[in-house]
Amino acid sequence: MTGCITYANGSRNEGWRVLAVANKDGGPSAAYLRRGNIYAFGKLVSEASANWEIAPAKEGDIWLNVKCDGDGNYKSFSLATSKGEETPLRADGLDKDGEKQKSVSYSFKLATISTCAEPFQDDGNPASFVNVRQFILGSVFCELAKSDVQEAKPEDGNEGFRVKVEKDDTGKITAVKVRPGHVYFQGRFCTSALEGDADGWVTHSATSGAVWLVVQFDVWGVFEGAWLAPEQPSTATLTPFILSTEATGIRGQYAFHLADVAADGSVKQYALGAVYCIFDAATFFAPGPAE
C-alpha cells in the first residue's frame, strides 16, 4: 500500500472509525473511536453511534469482539487491544464434538495505530508521525463459519473488490482493475463474484471515475451474476429484497460503490473485502483501507 488513508466526507458508513491524535513530537497522545453497526446473520443487532469515545489504546491494535448465543442471537460486544475468541456459528449448529454450540463469538481487527519515522524532516516536521491503518470502516458482519472449501483457499493479501490502477512509462493510466471478491446474501456466503483475467484481476471499462459493483438475483434470491459499472444503476432497477415469505415477482438488484479513481490515478476506496446483500431498506458493505 502506498499513499495516505482517505475517507469520503459525509459517508453514511463511517462507523468503527479510529482516529489518532499526535503530540508536538509526532508521537501518539490519544486515540478515539466511533462505533458502527453490527449485523448478525443479515439483521441489525447493534446500531452505530455518532459520538467519539476513547479507544482501548493510543498505539497498537484495536479489536472488536462480538458474542452471540448458540442460536446466533446477539448478546454483547467489547473493545480490546488483542484478538478475542473466534468461534463462528456453523451451518449445522454443532461444535467439533458434534454437540450443539453453546455460544459463538467473532473478532474483528478495526485498526492498527503506529508511529512512523518522518521522511521529510527538512521541512520542519517532527521526527515521527502517527499512522492509522484502518481495516474495517462502516459495519461489521457476523456470518456462518466458512465451509471446508473456503477455508482451503489461501489468502494472498489482495482483499476482494480492491481497486488499483496500471500506468505506462509516461504515467498515463492504461487500466483500472478490480480484484474479485465474495458476495454474502442474508448473512451467508453466496459466491465469489466477477471472473478475473489471467492475472486474477478484472479490467474496468473506464480509466477514471466511479467504480460500481452490481449484483443481480432472481425472484427467489438465487444469484444470477455480477458486473462492474461506471455509475450507479437506475433506482428503477435497484430493488433490494423485502421481508417476505413468498417471492414478490421482482428480481433483486444491489449496487455497491467500490471506489473513485481520480485523473492522476489516486484511488479512494469505499468497499473492500466482501459485500453484503441484506433486506431493504438499504445496501451495506464493509469498507477497508484506501490507497
Side-chain angles (χ1 to χ4, degrees):
M1 291 179 59
T2 58
C4 299
I5 294 178
T6 55
Y7 304 97
N9 291 329
S11 169
R12 62 181 178 180
N13 288 293
E14 285 190 344
W16 298 120
R17 183 172 179 180
V18 175
L19 174 68
V21 179
N23 56 31
K24 60 182 179 62
D25 299 320
S29 62
Y32 301 93
L33 178 145
R34 177 181 285 170
R35 297 183 186 181
N37 290 338
I38 299 176
Y39 286 83
F41 316 107
K43 296 180 181 179
L44 176 63
V45 294
S46 178
E47 293 191 16
S49 170
N51 300 322
W52 291 92
E53 60 185 82
I54 298 176
K58 60 183 180 181
E59 193 167 11
D61 295 336
I62 308 294
W63 287 83
L64 167 69
N65 300 315
V66 181
K67 292 187 177 296
C68 301
D69 63 20
D71 295 317
N73 299 309
Y74 170 77
K75 293 176 63 178
S76 64
F77 79 85
S78 62
L79 297 168
T81 57
S82 60
K83 183 177 181 179
E85 183 181 3
E86 200 164 34
T87 54
L89 181 67
R90 298 175 62 86
D92 57 9
L94 304 177
D95 60 23
K96 294 181 180 179
D97 297 325
E99 302 291 334
K100 185 181 185 303
Q101 290 180 270
K102 296 180 180 180
S103 63
V104 296
S105 54
Y106 297 82
S107 191
F108 304 92
K109 189 175 185 179
L110 302 179
T112 297
I113 306 172
S114 60
T115 303
C116 304
E118 172 59 54
F120 304 111
Q121 295 188 39
D122 293 342
D123 295 337
N125 297 319
S128 61
F129 68 92
V130 178
N131 176 63
V132 178
R133 185 176 184 186
Q134 188 93 33
F135 296 97
I136 291 179
L137 176 71
S139 302
V140 296
F141 297 81
C142 304
E143 63 252 351
L144 291 177
K146 291 183 179 180
S147 65
D148 293 339
V149 175
Q150 289 175 268
E151 290 287 0
K153 292 183 178 179
E155 299 291 338
D156 60 4
N158 285 308
E159 299 90 341
F161 301 119
R162 183 174 180 179
V163 179
K164 70 175 183 178
V165 299
E166 293 184 348
K167 299 181 180 180
D168 59 19
D169 295 338
T170 65
K172 180 181 178 181
I173 300 176
T174 58
V176 171
K177 294 197 170 184
V178 180
R179 184 77 164 178
H182 288 170
V183 173
Y184 285 80
F185 181 60
Q186 307 309 338
R188 298 169 183 252
F189 172 73
C190 176
T191 186
S192 182
L194 302 179
E195 189 69 29
D197 299 329
D199 60 357
W201 296 73
V202 182
T203 302
H204 187 42
S205 60
T207 55
S208 64
V211 182
W212 284 80
L213 172 73
V214 184
V215 181
Q216 184 73 56
F217 297 89
D218 69 9
V219 296
W220 295 105
V222 176
F223 175 80
E224 288 188 327
W227 61 91
L228 298 174
E231 59 185 14
Q232 180 180 348
S234 167
T235 54
T237 61
L238 280 177
T239 50
F241 286 101
I242 62 174
L243 285 168
S244 174
T245 58
E246 300 178 357
T248 59
I250 301 176
R251 298 163 68 216
Q253 187 179 95
Y254 296 77
F256 303 89
H257 190 183
L258 299 183
D260 283 331
V261 180
D264 63 359
S266 59
V267 177
K268 183 178 284 187
Q269 188 95 34
Y270 300 105
L272 181 69
V275 294
Y276 296 78
C277 303
I278 63 176
F279 286 125
D280 201 24
T283 297
F284 298 92
F285 50 83
E291 63 174 327

